[in-house]
Amino acid sequence: MDINQQHSNTTEKVGMGLVCSVETFKKGNIQLVKRLSGFNGLSIYKNGEVRKIELKTMERSDNWIAINGHMAIDKLFFERDYWMYFVLIPENIVVMTRALPFIYNQMRLSNETNFLKELEAWIKSTKNLSKISSLKFIPRINIKFNYSLRKLSEYIVSETYKHEWDNSVIEIWQNQSEWKCLYKIEEF
């Protein structure tokens, strides 16, 4: 094993540290929550804004994510005020997205598909099967991105950006000894 290669738990801790740091810098009050909640933390601002945050730290691979468990899948696809923060290591970049619109853009899903209804039925059936049997099902969804996070963030902060991600990518921050906002949608 390469001595410079970090364990994934260490990488996640670095990502959480960066998210806590940027939220505090932005005057938010970050609260970490229990793992069983389906997300990693809450960021609360004095103006009443609350973000439920799921954190994904990406050191090498930045073109897919995994969502594990009934609660996390349910929150991601069925809770409208759910955010995904992607931390790109070693660049120290935090990409803040509205989760469901971001996933829709990455997977190129239209609102007209029955995807959400079918996913909801699948979640309910696995929960019911777990209740009536002695088996415990822990569903996992792997989401392959059409655009890697590094390439997408580079594109969004470029002069050629055409604003097609404005409904889902809300802010991009980078820390190089201090926080710098690279991109922000003003409505949020």
Side-chain angles (χ1 to χ4, degrees), residues 8 12 15 17 35 44 51 54 67 84 86 131 133 138 141 143 154 164 169 177 183:
S8 63
E12 284 297 318
R35 198 88 170 132
I44 303 167
R51 291 182 180 181
E54 171 66 20
I67 306 295
M84 293 190 83
F86 298 95
K131 284 180 187 176
S133 72
I138 302 173
I141 295 177
I143 301 171
E154 287 173 11
E164 60 267 36
V169 177
S177 76
Y183 173 80

Side-chain angles (χ1 to χ4, degrees), residues 119-156:
L119 180 64
E120 188 173 29
W122 175 67
I123 290 292
K124 284 180 182 176
S125 70
T126 57
K127 283 181 182 178
N128 288 337
L129 191 54
S130 290
K131 284 180 187 176
I132 63 173
S133 72
S134 60
L135 300 172
K136 181 174 179 160
F137 290 94
I138 302 173
R140 174 183 169 116
I141 295 177
N142 289 343
I143 301 171
K144 183 167 179 355
F145 293 159
N146 285 317
Y147 304 99
S148 75
L149 260 293
R150 284 179 174 82
K151 288 181 182 176
L152 179 61
S153 62
E154 287 173 11
Y155 169 62
I156 289 174

